[in-house]
Amino acid sequence: MTETVRLSQRTDYLAIVPYLLGFHPSMSLVILAFDGRTLVSGIRHDLPHSDAEATEGVAVTLKILAREKVRQIAVIGYGPANLVAPMLNRMREAIDPTGILLLELLRCEGDRYWSYPDADPPEGTPYDITTSHAAAAAVAAGMAAFPDHQAFATHLQPVDGPDRDAVRTATCASYERAVSLLATATPRYWYDEGLRSIHAAFARQQAGESLPPEEVAWLGVLLTSILVRDVAITTTHAYPTSDHVALWSDFTRRVEPGYVAAPATLLAIAAHSCGAGTLARVAVDRALTDNRDYTMARLVECALSNGVPPSAIHEIHATVTAEDLEAQLELCPRTALPKLPALREGR
């Protein structure tokens, strides 16, 4: 399921942006897309450095809005007037002939915002996002906002210290266990074990328990199976999106090199489905850094780059059933077998 937050005033728009992006933006242009007063997705661009970049940014935004058939938007620029105001004017002029309703056109700097096209009032209006019910709803939904983009981008980096050592040791043991089982276990075993381990991991997540290193390592091994990874994708309708984001974020940080691609891709899919495009891109980068040929990560990267709406991605995965996977197991049993990478040094 996807959490929604209903917005009713300007401060709600400003309050939800950091939680939608995952960080407090600066030098950015953010477009919020609405269905009525319900936020359905968001788009963020860095402020352009040239007219060519500005033109391209507007064109990409219009392409995405057209594909998602968005009819209402709010546009918020973060930065000084000399950089933000021209971009806001470009957006207003580009949106005008499309029939899309422009709900708000705002500029934020420090703790004040200005409403355009008149930048009224001249001194700006003070605001505090911590008092907004939208921010409270986002926190209640398990969303968080990092101080800035750099802090956000590094929060998926591998864990260090004792947990890293424990997961590394457990991964070696899981690797040896899998090698031994591959000589005797049937594809059905790997499918059933993957299904069991995925639901067990979500049960711990929902109970607020941290997964022990042994379970992280073993499920990391199981997810190298194409079919087991697809089982994880089909659970998008079984657990809240916030649980998917939290669980696969934890796995992305904790599994050993060589096992990151699958959980990072699962994180990217979950993040994209709830409109968290920035997190989805960071997750895809982690997946492709681990395995540049990982096909599913490439597909998600293509979807992000071409503005494929989250609803379309969600619908594709939601239509895959347990019966479909059972049929795939019968038709191509080898897809259930793990594809074990060689253990690598490093983190």
Side-chain angles (χ1 to χ4, degrees):
M1 63 185 272
T2 299
E3 294 81 4
T4 59
V5 178
R6 297 188 182 278
L7 310 175
S8 59
Q9 53 190 345
R10 287 171 178 169
T11 52
D12 291 336
Y13 297 162
L14 302 177
I16 201 61
V17 167
Y19 296 95
L20 178 67
L21 300 179
F23 61 93
H24 292 268
S26 63
M27 305 300 286
S28 302
L29 188 75
V30 176
I31 298 91
L32 303 179
F34 293 87
D35 177 8
R37 288 286 175 175
T38 301
L39 176 64
V40 294
S41 64
I43 306 166
R44 188 197 75 89
H45 302 295
D46 291 332
L47 289 179
H49 294 91
S50 66
D51 285 345
E53 285 187 12
T55 300
E56 181 181 3
V58 170
V60 169
T61 298
L62 291 179
K63 180 181 178 182
I64 293 172
L65 296 177
R67 284 187 176 181
E68 297 196 32
K69 298 181 180 179
V70 172
R71 305 314 305 162
Q72 297 172 305
I73 65 169
V75 181
I76 307 172
Y78 293 83
N82 66 310
L83 296 179
V84 173
M87 197 62 189
L88 292 180
N89 288 332
R90 279 179 180 264
M91 284 299 304
R92 179 168 55 85
E93 293 170 358
I95 291 297
D96 186 58
T98 67
I100 296 174
L101 177 62
L102 186 56
L103 299 173
E104 295 288 355
L105 198 64
L106 305 173
R107 180 178 73 85
C108 295
E109 189 173 14
D111 60 356
R112 292 178 179 268
Y113 73 84
W114 289 259
S115 177
Y116 281 71
D118 300 321
D120 185 53
E123 69 277 11
T125 301
Y127 73 99
D128 180 3
I129 66 173
T130 63
T131 63
S132 168
H133 79 279
V139 172
M143 304 171 76
F146 285 79
D148 53 40
H149 187 271
Q150 182 177 1
F152 176 81
T154 59
H155 87 281
L156 286 182
Q157 292 303 304
V159 298
D160 209 338
D163 187 67
R164 167 57 57 214
D165 295 336
V167 171
R168 178 174 293 126
T169 299
T171 300
C172 291
S174 294
Y175 180 94
E176 295 300 329
R177 175 186 175 189
V179 169
S180 176
L181 285 169
L182 279 170
T184 58
T186 65
R188 166 61 65 179
Y189 164 82
W190 294 106
Y191 177 84
D192 289 343
E193 179 66 6
L195 183 64
R196 182 201 64 78
S197 297
I198 288 166
H199 286 295
F202 273 110
R204 284 192 181 273
Q205 173 63 38
Q206 294 192 313
E209 301 175 0
S210 177
L211 268 73
E214 294 76 16
E215 292 186 25
V216 171
W218 182 236
L219 184 49
V221 167
L222 294 171
L223 287 171
T224 64
S225 157
I226 294 173
L227 196 57
V228 171
R229 180 208 61 201
D230 289 350
V231 167
I233 292 176
T234 64
T235 62
T236 53
H237 63 281
Y239 302 100
T241 305
S242 56
D243 284 345
H244 283 268
V245 170
L247 179 67
W248 302 127
S249 292
D250 186 51
F251 266 80
T252 298
R253 298 182 67 239
R254 295 178 70 193
V255 295
E256 279 289 277
Y259 298 88
V260 175
T265 302
L266 292 169
L267 172 58
I269 291 170
H272 186 48
S273 73
C274 66
T278 305
L279 175 58
R281 288 186 180 277
V282 173
V284 163
D285 286 344
R286 288 282 282 118
L288 294 176
T289 297
D290 187 66
N291 183 350
R292 62 185 179 85
D293 297 320
Y294 199 69
T295 304
M296 183 62 76
R298 289 289 182 195
L299 290 173
V300 176
E301 180 187 45
C302 183
L304 292 170
S305 298
N306 288 279
V308 175
S311 58
I313 299 295
H314 179 73
E315 287 170 5
I316 291 171
H317 299 314
T319 58
V320 179
T321 66
E323 291 74 17
D324 294 328
L325 296 180
E326 289 278 355
Q328 183 179 341
L329 178 62
E330 294 298 323
L331 183 65
C332 190
R334 291 190 62 83
T335 59
L337 304 180
K339 296 182 177 180
L340 299 175
L343 292 179
R344 292 184 284 180
E345 295 294 330
R347 300 171 180 174

